[in-house]
Amino acid sequence: MQPQQWLSNGKIFEYQGHQLFYIDSNPGCRHKPVLLLIHGFPTSSYDWQKVWPQLVEHFRCISMDMLGFGYSDKPKQHNYSIHGQADLHEALLQHLNVNGTHLLAHDYGDTVAQELLARANSSGAIEYLSVCLLNGGLFPEAHQARLVQKLLHSPLGSLVNKLMSYRQFCRSFRAIFGPDTQPSEKDLRELWQILQYKEGNQLLYKLITYMRDRRQNRQRWVEALNQYPGPLQLINGSLDPVSGKHMVERFRQLIDRSTDIVELAQIGHYPQWEAPNNVANAYLRFVGVNPMNFLLHS
């Protein structure tokens, strides 16, 4: 699916004066369970397009471009936070009359998912039937930020952001993919095109405050995983230099509960992009769906 088709298939949710883009595979559907997919930094819901066909066979899939990302509004003066992005997801689910959903997240989205779980564990306003997390900074001490991330998060962040070019974007992305699963030139141009929408490429230094949020809320978000009562899965690309094999090792040290851990030895930071069939099949097995059902009907 091309970005323009993804955009045309989506809808706009207005909340607190902002227009938020989201895509809903089966609006109002009652016979399929709901799956909420939360994207990472600095990309968008389009990250899920390679696994979307497999997942919509079995779920009503919903994914929103968070504020500052993708096709959603990108206010320049906004103070972006993980808590704010969690608020938006809760508001969208309420708008769509969804009280229970499965949860699949990646990267920045993992942290949003942790905050959603922390809220659900204490109040139970929305039920998360299962949770699957792809490569992300679940623990700040195991998040090996790239130099460009550190610079964007520094006092020089706005200047560094202004100097960022397509060439630098490509170099940064290729560095976090596996050597055998590199993004194509077409992939990179599509991702850059979406990033530039409403000048989002100039907001990265404001969005990257999630690194601060992770440090300040570390205990809350570790406890969110340990206290979550439902099924939990971790799918991780081991070759990711940011949140790869080393993050899984830290996960095993800190998370004292049963977890389905799937390690993809030759994959980098974007498993759903680099190995979509592996990710979709592992996830469908986790939630009790036979992946062969998709193959038989495709």
Side-chain angles (χ1 to χ4, degrees):
M1 192 183 300
Q2 303 299 311
Q4 190 57 43
Q5 185 181 358
W6 190 261
L7 177 60
S8 65
N9 286 346
K11 299 178 182 293
I12 295 296
F13 168 55
E14 293 194 14
Y15 184 73
Q16 295 186 341
H18 301 300
Q19 291 195 330
L20 299 161
F21 171 86
Y22 73 97
I23 188 165
D24 184 345
S25 67
N26 297 95
C29 177
R30 298 297 179 191
H31 68 276
K32 288 184 178 181
V34 177
L35 172 60
L36 178 67
L37 302 98
I38 309 180
H39 68 79
F41 171 92
T43 44
S44 71
S45 61
Y46 189 66
D47 289 354
W48 302 109
Q49 60 98 6
K50 290 180 183 285
V51 294
W52 198 258
Q54 293 96 315
L55 298 180
V56 298
E57 285 285 311
H58 307 284
F59 295 94
R60 173 188 174 188
C61 294
I62 299 169
S63 188
M64 176 177 66
D65 289 354
M66 288 180 271
L67 191 65
F69 296 85
Y71 296 119
S72 289
D73 279 353
K74 299 173 178 177
K76 293 182 172 61
Q77 304 306 317
H78 190 78
N79 291 320
Y80 294 90
S81 71
I82 293 297
H83 289 81
Q85 305 288 17
D87 290 344
L88 297 178
H89 279 93
E90 289 186 329
L92 176 64
L93 291 175
Q94 290 168 8
H95 171 71
L96 297 174
N97 296 313
V98 174
N99 299 314
T101 179
H102 296 271
L103 191 54
L104 174 58
H106 172 243
D107 185 71
Y108 180 103
D110 286 2
T111 311
V112 176
Q114 286 174 279
E115 174 56 24
L116 290 173
L117 291 183
R119 298 177 185 188
N121 290 345
S122 61
S123 70
I126 296 174
E127 183 181 5
Y128 298 102
L129 305 172
S130 72
V131 177
C132 175
L133 305 173
L134 308 187
N135 293 60
L138 301 176
F139 320 108
E141 68 273 18
H143 179 248
Q144 297 183 1
R146 308 294 290 174
L147 177 60
V148 66
Q149 291 176 299
K150 294 177 181 178
L151 290 173
L152 285 169
H153 193 46
S154 76
L156 298 174
S158 60
L159 176 60
V160 172
N161 204 151
K162 288 178 182 177
L163 297 174
M164 185 170 291
S165 66
Y166 173 65
R167 183 178 178 182
Q168 291 164 323
F169 168 80
C170 292
R171 186 185 307 120
S172 296
F173 255 68
R174 289 186 177 115
I176 60 175
F177 275 60
D180 299 325
T181 52
Q182 287 285 293
S184 67
E185 183 66 27
K186 177 178 176 292
D187 291 337
L188 292 168
R189 289 203 176 277
E190 289 178 350
L191 295 174
W192 178 251
Q193 173 191 336
I194 298 173
L195 182 62
Q196 286 184 301
Y197 189 83
K198 295 186 179 181
E199 298 183 331
N201 56 309
Q202 297 300 316
L203 280 180
L204 301 181
Y205 75 102
K206 295 183 74 72
L207 295 171
I208 208 162
T209 51
Y210 69 83
M211 292 171 64
R212 176 201 63 208
D213 292 347
R214 284 172 174 169
R215 292 193 298 271
Q216 293 177 347
N217 295 277
R218 179 190 179 279
Q219 189 61 32
R220 172 180 173 83
W221 291 340
V222 171
E223 288 178 358
L225 296 178
N226 270 321
Q227 294 174 6
Y228 171 61
L232 180 63
Q233 182 182 47
L234 184 67
I235 301 178
N236 186 267
S238 301
L239 296 184
D240 173 14
V242 181
S243 304
K245 191 174 182 62
H246 60 281
M247 195 282 293
V248 177
E249 292 172 356
R250 188 63 174 151
F251 185 97
R252 288 191 166 107
Q253 294 169 358
L254 293 174
I255 305 305
D256 185 24
R257 52 150 297 154
S258 175
T259 305
D260 177 23
I261 298 178
V262 179
E263 296 184 81
L264 303 175
Q266 302 303 315
I267 301 303
H269 185 70
Y270 274 82
Q272 75 274 41
W273 199 276
E274 300 175 58
N277 288 336
N278 297 58
V279 169
N281 289 343
Y283 178 71
L284 291 174
R285 281 194 295 270
F286 166 64
V287 293
V289 175
N290 183 356
M292 286 302 296
N293 289 342
F294 170 74
L295 297 176
L296 291 172
H297 292 89
S298 61

